[in-house]
Amino acid sequence: MQTFRCQCGHKLFFGSTSCLSCKETVGMCPTCRQVTALKSLGKDQWQCTNQVCGQKLKLCQNRIDYKACNCTVAIEEKEEPLCTYCRLNQVIPDLSIEGNLLKWVRLEAAKRRVLYGVESVGLPIGDPSRNDFLPLMFEFKADDVEPVSTGHAAGLITINIQEADSVKREQTRVEFGEPQRTLVGHFRHELGHYYWDMLVEPSKREAFRKLFGNEEDPTYADAQTAYYANGPLPNWQKSFISEYATMHPWEDFAESFAAYLDMTSIVSTAQDFPRIYAEVPPDDFDARLKAYREIGVMANEFNRDIGLLDLVPEVFTKPVVEKLRFMHDLKGIQAQSPDVSSSV
Ligand SMILES: [Zn+2]
Ligand SMILES: [Zn+2]
Ligand SMILES: [Zn+2]
Ligand SMILES: [Zn+2]
C-alpha cells in the first residue's frame, strides 16, 4: 500500500487514525481517496486538508462507536452514518462476547485494505443501496448457532470470525498445507467469486472456459468431493497458481484473482518508494508481472531473513500468467447484474 502525507509533512499509513507528529485526527477521505489530516469544523463536522479536495466530512459511525474504521463520510450523505466500506456489512459479530470486537476490528482492517485495492484496479463495487450491478455484502459470523463456512453466494461474502484468531488460523493453515492463510487473502479470494458472478458469467464465459475449464462439468459438488478424496492433481504447478485452484474452475478463478490482487498491491507498494519501478505503467501487464517477480524474489529473501513465510510463494508458469492476464483485462468489461445461479 502507498503511504500518505499529513499536512505537517509526516508520513501517514492506510490505517492511521491520528498523526504521530502533529497529533491531528486523521482519516480516509472518500472524495480524494487519501488518508489526510482532518480539520475540525465543530459539531462533529470535519474537512479534508488535502488542498485539491477540501471535502466536508463526518466520521464513520463504526469509528465513533467502536474504533473499527478510520474512514469518513461526505457530509452530503445526510442519512448515511457509515462509510462506503462499512455500509456493506449485513451481519457483524456479537460484540457482547469477549474477544469479538478485536476480531471484528481485524476483519474490517483487512476488508478496507482489499476493497481500496479493488477500487484502485478499477473494478466496480456494487452498493446494496443502489441497483446498478450485483450488490456486495458481508457477514461476519461465529460458529455459535451453526457451523459457519467462509464463502461467497450471490454477492454475499461470509467470513467465519475464527479466521481473525491468528492461532486458529495458523492451525488451519498447517492442516491444509497452505503456503499462506491471511484475512486479506480470504477477502481477495471471495471477491474473485463475486467478480466471476458480476463480470465473467454474463459476458466472458466462453473465454473463461478456454482458460479455466467448464464450470458445469464436473459440477462443483462432484469436484469438491473428488478434491477432498484424492487431493490436488499431480504436477498441479504446471497450470495452476495453487493446490486449491485445481479443485474446480471457480476456485481456480478465485485463487488467480486473489494472486492478481496480491501482485497489483505489492507492485504499487514498491512504486511508492522513490526510484523503484517508477517507470512501470499500470496498464502494462507484462511489465508489472516482471516487476512483481523481481520484487517477490527480493521480498522472499527479506522474509526468509527473519524466518517469515514467503511473501510471494507462487510459481508463474505460462498458463498461470495467462490466467492473471485475464484478470487484468476484466476492468474493460461492462458490469451487469447476472442471473445468480452459482453458490460457492
Ligand atoms: Zn501531522
Ligand atoms: Zn479529500
Ligand atoms: Zn467505516
Ligand atoms: Zn472459493
Side-chain angles (χ1 to χ4, degrees), residues 162-217:
Q162 188 156 292
E163 290 295 337
D165 179 326
S166 48
V167 174
K168 298 238 168 65
R169 190 174 61 244
E170 179 64 6
Q171 274 173 355
T172 315
R173 188 190 72 74
V174 173
E175 208 175 294
F176 287 102
E178 297 169 359
Q180 293 171 332
R181 190 179 179 97
T182 64
L183 287 181
V184 162
H186 279 305
F187 283 108
R188 288 187 175 147
H189 174 101
E190 300 308 335
L191 280 167
H193 292 306
Y194 169 70
Y195 285 111
W196 193 88
D197 277 4
M198 190 214 277
L199 300 173
V200 180
E201 186 185 28
S203 56
K204 286 203 78 160
R205 181 134 36 160
E206 286 318 306
F208 166 81
R209 285 184 175 172
K210 281 203 184 98
L211 272 175
F212 295 86
N214 185 343
E215 78 285 359
E216 288 174 352
D217 181 24

Side-chain angles (χ1 to χ4, degrees), residues 42 115 161 196 296:
L115 291 180
I161 64 167
W196 193 88

Side-chain angles (χ1 to χ4, degrees), residues 29 31-33 36 48 50 53-55:
C29 169
T31 303
C32 63
R33 304 186 77 237
T36 63
C48 172
N50 179 357
C53 180
Q55 172 72 49

Side-chain angles (χ1 to χ4, degrees), residues 60-63 68-73 81-87 108 112:
C60 172
Q61 198 64 36
N62 280 344
R63 175 174 181 164
C69 182
N70 71 335
C71 292
T72 58
V73 187
L82 298 173
C83 72
T84 53
Y85 302 138
C86 287
R87 71 184 68 162
E108 288 298 334
R112 273 198 308 282

Side-chain angles (χ1 to χ4, degrees), residues 130-336:
R130 300 190 314 252
N131 246 348
D132 39 8
F133 31 76
L134 184 63
L136 178 63
M137 294 164 288
F138 291 91
E139 53 178 22
F140 302 127
K141 292 161 107 174
D143 286 320
D144 42 12
V145 185
E146 51 184 2
V148 173
S149 305
T150 292
H152 165 266
L156 176 64
I157 289 175
T158 305
I159 308 275
N160 186 324
I161 64 167
Q162 188 156 292
E163 290 295 337
D165 179 326
S166 48
V167 174
K168 298 238 168 65
R169 190 174 61 244
E170 179 64 6
Q171 274 173 355
T172 315
R173 188 190 72 74
V174 173
E175 208 175 294
F176 287 102
E178 297 169 359
Q180 293 171 332
R181 190 179 179 97
T182 64
L183 287 181
V184 162
H186 279 305
F187 283 108
R188 288 187 175 147
H189 174 101
E190 300 308 335
L191 280 167
H193 292 306
Y194 169 70
Y195 285 111
W196 193 88
D197 277 4
M198 190 214 277
L199 300 173
V200 180
E201 186 185 28
S203 56
K204 286 203 78 160
R205 181 134 36 160
E206 286 318 306
F208 166 81
R209 285 184 175 172
K210 281 203 184 98
L211 272 175
F212 295 86
N214 185 343
E215 78 285 359
E216 288 174 352
D217 181 24
T219 64
Y220 189 83
D222 287 349
Q224 196 174 31
T225 308
Y227 179 78
Y228 287 114
N230 310 323
L233 300 172
N235 299 323
W236 59 266
Q237 291 95 333
K238 281 193 181 148
S239 322
F240 295 91
I241 193 99
S242 71
E243 288 188 15
Y244 192 57
T246 67
M247 199 247 265
H248 183 269
W250 280 338
E251 298 306 343
D252 191 5
F253 182 85
E255 288 286 274
S256 301
F257 183 81
Y260 175 73
L261 289 186
D262 287 349
M263 176 179 97
T264 56
S265 153
I266 289 173
V267 175
S268 302
T269 301
Q271 287 187 305
D272 193 42
F273 291 92
R275 291 182 300 281
I276 299 181
Y277 296 110
E279 76 285 5
V280 181
D283 285 338
D284 187 340
F285 173 80
D286 292 296
R288 282 186 95 72
L289 180 66
K290 180 167 175 285
Y292 183 51
R293 294 168 90 157
E294 288 169 358
I295 296 160
V297 169
M298 180 173 71
N300 286 353
E301 289 307 318
F302 288 149
N303 279 16
R304 291 170 195 176
D305 282 346
I306 55 168
L308 286 175
L309 299 169
D310 283 355
L311 183 78
V312 185
E314 297 93 353
V315 180
F316 298 94
T317 59
K318 199 158 185 309
V320 166
V321 168
E322 288 318 302
K323 289 171 185 176
L324 298 189
R325 191 188 307 280
F326 187 86
M327 306 302 156
H328 187 75
D329 294 337
L330 281 180
K331 62 176 172 287
I333 313 175
Q334 196 67 35
Q336 296 173 30

